[in-house]
Each structure stands twice: as C-alpha cells, then as structure tokens.
Amino acid sequence: MKKLISLSLILILLVACTDSAQKSNSKENTYKEIVELEIDRSEYLTGEIITDGDYEIPSSGIGGFYYVPDKESREIIEERYGSNDLYYLDDESYFLYYDDMSITENLPGDLGIYKVRVKFDLKEIYGHDRFSIIDVGLTDNIGTILYEGKNYETNILDLDVRVKDRACGLIVDSVDKFGDEGGRVGFCGEIETEGYYNISYGEMHERNLGVIYYDEKNKENVPVMEGDSDVKETFFFVNKENLFKELEKHSSFGRGKFKISNYGFVYNYGMGREPSEILTEIVSLDERYKNMFEIKDKGETRLIGYNDYFAIVSDVAEYDENNYEKSFNYYYINKNNPEKEFLLTSEDYYFLDNVINDAEFSLKAEGYNEITGSYGVLNTIKCKITDQGAELSYPYATEGEKIDKFNLSAINDNYNRIATDGNYIYYIDMKTYHINRVKIDGTDNETMSEHECSKLYYHDGKLYFKEHSKPDSQIACIDTDGGNYQVIYGEKLINDFVIYDDVIYMTVFAEEQEAGYAFGFYKYNLTDGKMEAFDDSIALPQPPGLRLINDKIYYGVDYKLREYDISTNTIKEYSTNISNIQEYNNIVYTYSRTSILKHSIDNISEYDTIFEIDDGYLLRKISIIDDLIFFTYCYDYTKVDKRGIYVDVMNIDGTNRRNLFYFDYSTLGHYSFDSIYVLNNRLFIISSDNEYPLFKVLDYEGNGLWDL
C-alpha cells in the first residue's frame, strides 16, 4: 500500500511540477558556490541534487527537483521524520518543491548531479506531505556519498538500476520498486525523437494530451527495462502552452522531430500510467501533414496502427444524444506520400491487422460476439489502395475465414491434438477424447466422431487418428463431415504415426522386453495396402517419436537421432539426442528443459542456443510462426512446490520476450498435458489437465478471443 501511494504521489507531482519544462533562454549558465568549512546540520542537510537546469515555475504554481542525501543527512531524515509523515523514507531520492524562483537563482543551468546544502520543511502539497525548500546552494562541503552511479552502455536497464545511474544521456533521478519484479524509473534530461504524433482532448485528465510514436531507429535512444513486456514506442505529453498550440494549429496528427523531458516508465506493474513526459521543443514538423486533421468537438484523433510504410488514423464522425462517440472515420496515410485517403465510417473500433505490403492490408474489429457469447473478432475488412482510391472487401465475416497460415511441423510437435483443412479446426475434446470441429472464429462447434482417440491428422480430405480400441490402438479415418468411418490399420498396437504422400509411417508393436514394449518402424501405403519396414531396428519408444520435416522423418533409436530420407529411402544417424523438433523457414528448432536451440537443416548436430529459461523454471512446448517463438514453461517442480504454466512469446532471435497468459495445473510438472498451436494470427492453448482443462484462443498480444 505504501508503494501504491508513493507511485500516485510521484506521478501527480511529476506532471504538475514540470508541466512547463521548456528551457529558459534568459537563464545564464552561472552559479554561486557557498564556501563553508562546516555546516550546521541542525539547520542544513547536505547531499546532491539532480537537475536539468530548468527551474521555471509552471501554471500549477510549484517547481521542483530531486535531492539525494548523503549518509549523514539520510540518518537525520530518518530520525526527524517518521513513517507517518513520509511514505518513502527508504527511497534513494526525495522530491523537493518550491514556489519562488529566487530559491534557485544560484543553481546551475546544465544537466548534472551537483553537491548542495539544503534547508527544507515538511509541508502539505496536493493533500500530501512534501519537502518544501527554504534555501539551497552549491557546496563541496558535504558528507559521505553512498553511491557514485554507473553508466549503462546500452539503453537496456536492469533491475539493479539506481538513482544517479546514466543511460542515453539521461540521469536516473527516482526509482520506486514494487516487490521483486515491478517498479518505476524516472529520468532527468531530454530525449530527442522522431516519429508520428497525435493530440486529442483527454477528458479523463481534464486537459489535452499528446502521444509521440517514435520510429524504430530511435529505440536505442530511449531507456527501457530488461525483460519488460510493455510497449515503449510511445511518449505521452501534457498540454504545454504555445508548443501544444503550435502542434494543434499544424495538425492534430502528423510527423516531426521533438525533444521531451521528464521521461519515466513503469515496468511489470499495473495497467498503465499517467502522462508524464513534457514536450520541451519542437525541432521540426513535416509540412506535408499541415492542416491534415483538426480537433473538433473535443473529439480524439487516434493513430490506430502504423509501420515503416503507412499509418491508419481515425477521428470522430458522429456523437450520440449523450455526446458519446458514436462512429469513426478511418484514413490511410502513406509515409512517403502523405495524403489522407478515406477508407470508411463505422461504429466499430477497428485496428490494423495483417499487412501484405504498403498498399494491401486488413483492419479488424473486436468486441462482444453475441453468437459465441464471448469477446472476440467481430469483423475484418480487407483494404487495397489503388490510383482510383481505396478498394474494400467490406464487410466479410470471420466465420467464413479460411485457415491458410500455420506451421505443420509445430502442430505435429505439440501432441497432434488439432488438425485443419483450411475451413475448420478439428480437435480432440479434452474430456471425452472425441473428434470435434469448430470454425476459426469459435462458431459452429460440433462433435464429428465419438471414437476415443489421440494424434489427429488431416490428409487428402480425410481425418486420420490413433483410435483407442482396448487393449490395442489402431489407425482409423473419417471424412471431414464425420462420415465413412473405417479402420486403416489394426493388426498390432500403434505407438505413433505420420502421413506423407499417401503413405503412413508408423511405429508398431514388435515385442515385449524387460524395459517395456519395443516397436518396429514401418510404412503402410494407402493406395495398395502394402506394409514394409523403413528401418529394421527394434527399439523402445524414444523422443522425438516420429517427426515429419519436409521430405524427411526424424525419430530416436538408442538415444541417437535418425533421419529417414523419403525420396532416397536412406537413413542418416546423428550422435545427438533431441526430444522435440520442428521447422520454420528451412531451419530446424528444438528445445530442452532449459534452452531453445536452432539447428542447421543439413546437419542437426550443428546448433546455436537462442534462449535459456530463467533459473527455477522448465520449458514445456514451443510453436514457431511469423518469426515469433511462442513457448510455455512452468516452475521447476524438483526445486519448488509451485504450479502454474506461463505462455510467453519472443522474436525468433530470442529478443523482446513478453508474457501472454498464465494458467493453473494440478498434476505433477513432468506430465505433458499442455499444447500450443498457431493458426492465422491466433494462439491456441489446450490443456488436458484433469482438474483444470483448458481450450483458449488468444491474439498475439494475449487478448482472449474465444474459448471452449
């Protein structure tokens, strides 16, 4: 509770106290140093201040900066003020405020950390106790410095960040930590950035607000927290006198170069933050956007999606009788040729979805779907920009959407609990083990077959599955409408199978050994019913089972990996043991309990480590598509008695990791019951856990679309 209050107070003061942080041209870069042999600590305290040299008092009536006490002064503060007076006695820096500019007349005009003596009192400001400055001046005669600060070589900070550290030309002036994983970091200094901006009337904050969406090339100039999943491509800034009016007069949406101060971010905590950045300078504005948009009727201009080629912008088209936004206009604006191209007017709120190129893309609307009784995709519009204007395939319902984007090897590596013919998703029910089907939008869910089964494949208009017919297992198939059931092979117990070019490759029971059932490696031709061995080995089932990658099958024998080339009918053996295997863009990916690896498709033994899971966790499954790696992981059950599975996503090179979902489980951690699949732009999470069964569909940001 203490830290929640502290965060709220800091955010309020940061906005109020620096709302007018534009550099004063009249401020000379001169200051007077106080020379004293000793300082009376009963009257003055010593330490350092962090300042950018701008002391202007804005319309809120107060200015301020951060003070870092030395060891001796910190002890005095802790003795003088109790926890009932201050919520942040253990903080590294304290916010000092003033309402008279003369207080700062002897302070420096450049960004830096300066030694000072300071006299302050505890007064109430905005309903809370704060330090009010009575006198402050520079001096070398201070006490013990507890921490000198360090320089970060990159823009990526770690959890050890402290006040006085430097990154990207900024100085950390405040740090608030909320537990072990979350917190807030504030900075002193200016950031120069380039990108889109939009401004709008913000009724929540009773003032106009602005947002800068900086370009990719500016990312390295902006400090971020290592491993934080929040989007950092934006700056919020509050109404800044003439600067804000200049933007509003130019266009409520446009491009430019800017300088902002008072930058800060909240990481791994809460749902968002108050606007805190201050627009201190408009370096330049792109004149091609002049008069493109204007604020009208206190409506909002929103950038709803952008990339390196174009931006999609909306504004309010109509209000209802209660003055709420009723409908929106949508526009396409090419970055290289910025002209406003009208797309449509709709009561639905759309955002940018798939992008094919700079002239072809789709917009998607989400909300409550009365058909499915859950939140999900309501509609998708395909857009094409031509010389004659925008051509829209409008509207088409997602219930007719075809599934054309998925990684088959990833599906085969995740227990084969689903399959698709492009029109439906066929899946094995978590409780009954029957085959069901559902459309990509979650509608028309129905049972296709009541035969209990596992390992489901689609091939040439039919669904093939390993059916459990006690005491044996057999391969059976049905048509995609559920009819024409037939047993394909049922002479011996089936362990695993894959299908390629009208041939079923399978492991079939051969003999019983002391260690368990051993299997042989066979292929069954669907056209003539001919059965023959493709490997004469007899072995206990070993990972990775049977995995089909392009025209090769991978399987384990004697703790080594074998590769059967279907086209040449030859076998190659690797002196390596791999549990799981899938392919994407002609590269093979595997994972162990702790690492995700990338292998050469020509030589599986050659690999690089992409990612290593944090200590105390175990990797469970991966699924790769669109240069993204989706993966699940759980607590290391050998070390801690904690249950729960996390679903994360990161770039295919192991960067930009972010959490999407978490769910509980009841069985032991080494049981494999969770599966993840990606079809089109949807992530399917399936858990057959006996206590917490789950079938949930998310988008790539972790938003729930529908579930069963």
Side-chain angles (χ1 to χ4, degrees):
M1 183 66 183
K2 164 186 166 183
K3 288 297 183 182
L4 284 173
I5 297 173
S6 175
L7 174 62
S8 176
L9 300 181
I10 290 172
L11 289 174
I12 292 172
L13 283 167
L14 286 177
V15 174
C17 298
T18 56
D19 189 26
S20 184
Q22 186 179 12
K23 298 292 183 185
S24 173
N25 294 329
S26 61
K27 174 70 177 179
E28 295 182 2
N29 189 22
T30 59
Y31 48 89
K32 178 181 177 182
E33 183 175 314
I34 299 171
V35 179
E36 281 193 25
L37 296 178
E38 293 185 7
I39 294 177
D40 183 359
R41 294 188 184 276
S42 65
E43 184 176 9
Y44 283 91
L45 297 182
T46 53
E48 298 164 309
I49 61 169
I50 302 172
T51 177
D52 60 2
D54 178 15
Y55 307 102
E56 180 182 352
I57 296 178
S59 57
S60 61
I62 63 170
F65 45 76
Y66 278 89
Y67 160 64
V68 186
D70 53 35
K71 178 178 181 296
E72 293 77 9
S73 296
R74 181 176 294 279
E75 293 172 352
I76 294 173
I77 291 175
E78 292 175 351
E79 293 175 0
R80 185 179 299 174
Y81 303 100
S83 58
N84 292 330
D85 299 317
L86 297 171
Y87 292 104
Y88 49 87
L89 275 175
D90 57 346
D91 285 359
E92 296 176 321
S93 62
Y94 302 129
F95 184 78
L96 308 183
Y97 80 91
Y98 52 86
D99 54 14
D100 185 348
M101 278 284 291
S102 64
I103 291 290
T104 66
E105 62 184 8
N106 291 323
L107 295 182
D110 291 328
L111 172 68
I113 302 172
Y114 300 92
K115 297 176 182 179
V116 296
R117 72 168 192 179
V118 62
K119 183 178 182 180
F120 51 77
D121 195 7
L122 193 65
K123 288 186 178 180
E124 184 177 294
I125 183 72
Y126 298 134
H128 300 280
D129 289 334
R130 285 296 190 196
F131 288 133
S132 175
I133 303 174
I134 299 173
D135 185 29
V136 61
L138 300 187
T139 179
D140 282 332
N141 187 24
I142 67 172
T144 306
I145 298 297
L146 296 172
Y147 179 66
E148 294 292 344
K150 64 176 179 289
N151 289 314
Y152 281 88
E153 295 182 359
T154 70
N155 67 319
I156 302 176
L157 280 58
D158 55 43
L159 295 177
D160 295 327
V161 63
R162 295 185 60 179
V163 168
K164 295 171 63 176
D165 289 343
R166 298 173 184 259
C168 302
L170 306 178
I171 303 174
V172 177
D173 61 18
S174 59
V175 176
D176 294 273
K177 295 184 178 179
F178 314 128
D180 296 331
E181 298 180 352
R184 189 199 70 87
V185 181
F187 298 85
C188 189
E190 283 186 329
I191 295 177
E192 182 170 328
T193 188
E194 179 179 3
Y196 291 110
Y197 75 87
N198 68 256
I199 58 176
S200 55
Y201 180 82
E203 193 145 339
M204 173 187 284
H205 309 286
E206 298 182 349
R207 59 184 179 273
N208 286 344
L209 301 173
V211 185
I212 297 173
Y213 302 84
Y214 56 81
D215 294 342
E216 179 78 19
K217 64 182 181 181
N218 295 116
K219 281 189 174 183
E220 294 182 357
N221 299 327
V222 182
V224 295
M225 179 57 71
E226 180 181 45
D228 183 24
S229 61
D230 289 347
V231 177
K232 291 293 185 296
E233 286 79 10
T234 61
F235 294 126
F236 291 94
F237 60 87
V238 294
N239 191 345
K240 174 65 177 68
E241 299 176 353
N242 293 330
L243 291 182
F244 198 92
K245 293 177 182 178
E246 184 178 340
L247 287 181
E248 187 175 10
K249 183 179 179 181
H250 181 79
S251 175
S252 62
F253 167 80
R255 282 186 61 83
K257 291 183 180 180
F258 311 92
K259 289 184 179 180
I260 64 103
S261 65
N262 205 47
Y263 172 66
F265 61 79
V266 178
Y267 62 95
N268 294 338
Y269 190 85
M271 299 298 292
R273 62 183 178 89
E274 278 271 323
S276 60
E277 282 83 28
I278 308 301
L279 183 63
T280 57
E281 182 181 343
I282 300 174
V283 179
S284 63
L285 293 174
D286 191 329
E287 290 299 317
R288 296 176 298 177
Y289 291 82
K290 188 174 180 62
N291 299 322
M292 185 176 286
F293 290 90
E294 63 179 356
I295 294 181
K296 52 185 179 181
D297 300 325
K298 295 184 178 180
E300 293 198 13
T301 304
R302 299 184 180 97
L303 176 62
I304 66 170
Y306 72 105
N307 52 45
D308 288 338
Y309 310 109
F310 63 86
I312 305 297
V313 180
S314 75
D315 61 12
V316 179
E318 185 182 2
Y319 293 89
D320 63 16
E321 62 275 8
N322 297 316
N323 205 33
Y324 290 113
E325 298 169 341
K326 182 179 180 181
S327 61
F328 308 90
N329 297 317
Y330 293 88
Y331 303 91
Y332 164 92
I333 302 163
N334 191 283
K335 185 176 180 180
N336 295 324
N337 184 26
E339 295 182 358
K340 187 165 62 174
E341 184 72 51
F342 175 76
L343 296 175
L344 73 150
T345 299
S346 174
E347 293 186 1
D348 293 326
Y349 185 70
Y350 284 91
F351 59 90
L352 184 61
D353 190 24
N354 288 330
V355 176
I356 300 175
N357 52 50
D358 65 345
E360 294 182 80
F361 54 92
S362 61
L363 302 177
K364 181 163 64 175
E366 295 181 345
Y368 184 76
N369 190 324
E370 295 183 356
I371 298 177
T372 63
S374 62
Y375 285 89
V377 178
L378 297 177
N379 196 41
T380 304
I381 300 175
K382 292 183 178 180
C383 307
K384 183 177 182 180
I385 306 301
T386 70
D387 293 339
Q388 289 73 40
E391 295 180 359
L392 307 182
S393 301
Y394 173 76
Y396 77 92
T398 56
E399 64 184 42
E401 181 182 355
K402 287 182 68 66
I403 302 167
D404 56 8
K405 187 174 65 176
F406 57 91
N407 182 351
L408 182 60
S409 69
I411 292 178
N412 293 346
D413 194 38
N414 282 276
Y415 309 132
N416 305 94
R417 297 192 66 86
I418 68 172
T420 180
D421 61 356
N423 296 307
Y424 286 92
I425 301 165
Y426 303 92
Y427 69 94
I428 300 173
D429 186 87
M430 299 169 291
K431 296 180 180 179
T432 66
Y433 298 99
H434 297 162
I435 299 176
N436 286 20
R437 75 176 184 181
V438 65
K439 291 182 178 179
I440 189 70
D441 64 352
T443 61
D444 294 351
N445 183 43
E446 60 179 328
T447 299
M448 304 297 299
S449 169
E450 295 186 357
H451 297 86
E452 293 185 8
C453 63
S454 61
K455 294 188 180 297
L456 182 64
Y457 286 87
Y458 170 80
H459 174 70
D460 196 23
K462 293 182 179 294
L463 296 170
Y464 293 82
F465 51 93
K466 190 176 84 168
E467 182 180 1
H468 300 297
S469 176
K470 296 181 180 180
D472 299 325
S473 291
Q474 62 190 17
I475 297 176
C477 77
I478 56 174
D479 292 339
T480 53
D481 62 1
N484 196 23
Y485 165 82
Q486 56 182 312
V487 175
I488 301 300
Y489 180 86
E491 296 181 13
K492 295 184 179 181
L493 183 126
I494 304 296
N495 173 253
D496 200 357
F497 76 98
V498 296
I499 304 176
Y500 179 82
D501 197 21
D502 283 341
V503 176
I504 302 178
Y505 297 84
M506 52 186 170
T507 49
V508 178
F509 171 76
E511 61 184 42
E512 187 173 358
Q513 300 177 354
E514 281 190 29
Y517 295 125
F519 293 85
F521 302 89
Y522 292 88
K523 56 183 179 181
Y524 178 89
N525 196 309
L526 289 170
T527 58
D528 58 15
K530 183 179 179 180
M531 181 89 160
E532 61 180 317
F534 68 87
D535 188 334
D536 58 6
S537 300
I538 301 296
L540 296 173
Q542 293 182 10
L546 294 178
R547 292 291 177 260
L548 178 64
I549 304 292
N550 299 330
D551 57 354
K552 297 177 181 179
I553 295 176
Y554 296 88
Y555 53 100
V557 176
D558 296 331
Y559 300 101
K560 295 180 180 180
L561 184 71
R562 289 188 182 178
E563 174 188 276
Y564 174 70
D565 192 318
I566 296 173
S567 60
T568 62
N569 197 29
T570 57
I571 295 175
K572 182 178 181 180
E573 186 171 275
Y574 297 95
S575 297
T576 185
N577 183 21
I578 294 177
S579 298
N580 304 274
I581 183 169
Q582 58 184 264
E583 179 266 348
Y584 184 73
N585 278 349
N586 212 33
I587 296 176
V588 173
Y589 296 86
T590 66
Y591 67 95
S592 64
R593 291 159 63 94
T594 59
S595 304
I596 298 177
L597 312 172
K598 177 174 68 174
H599 298 252
S600 165
I601 201 165
D602 297 321
N603 185 355
I604 301 297
S605 297
E606 297 177 355
Y607 67 87
D608 296 313
T609 300
I610 298 174
F611 170 78
E612 291 187 1
I613 193 66
D614 306 324
D615 186 41
Y617 296 93
L618 301 175
L619 287 168
R620 305 277 307 209
K621 278 294 173 184
I622 66 173
S623 185
I624 301 175
I625 197 170
D626 283 352
D627 291 332
L628 297 172
I629 301 179
F630 298 86
F631 60 100
T632 62
Y633 59 97
C634 66
Y635 295 101
D636 186 344
Y637 50 86
T638 65
K639 298 180 180 179
V640 295
D641 185 20
K642 290 184 178 181
R643 297 172 178 178
I645 292 183
Y646 296 86
V647 183
D648 282 16
V649 63
M650 62 185 172
N651 296 340
I652 205 164
D653 61 359
T655 61
N656 194 25
R657 173 186 174 187
R658 52 201 183 277
N659 177 253
L660 299 180
F661 191 65
Y662 168 89
F663 61 95
D664 294 320
Y665 70 89
S666 59
T667 52
L668 294 177
H670 60 277
Y671 288 172
S672 297
F673 52 80
D674 56 293
S675 309
I676 54 174
Y677 309 92
V678 182
L679 288 81
N680 290 0
N681 288 325
R682 294 160 175 78
L683 173 65
F684 290 73
I685 305 172
I686 301 175
S687 172
S688 55
D689 178 54
N690 54 10
E691 186 175 345
Y692 301 105
L694 182 76
F695 191 116
K696 194 169 186 64
V697 184
L698 314 176
D699 62 19
Y700 284 5
E701 301 301 322
N703 301 306
L705 301 180
W706 55 272
D707 53 60
L708 297 174

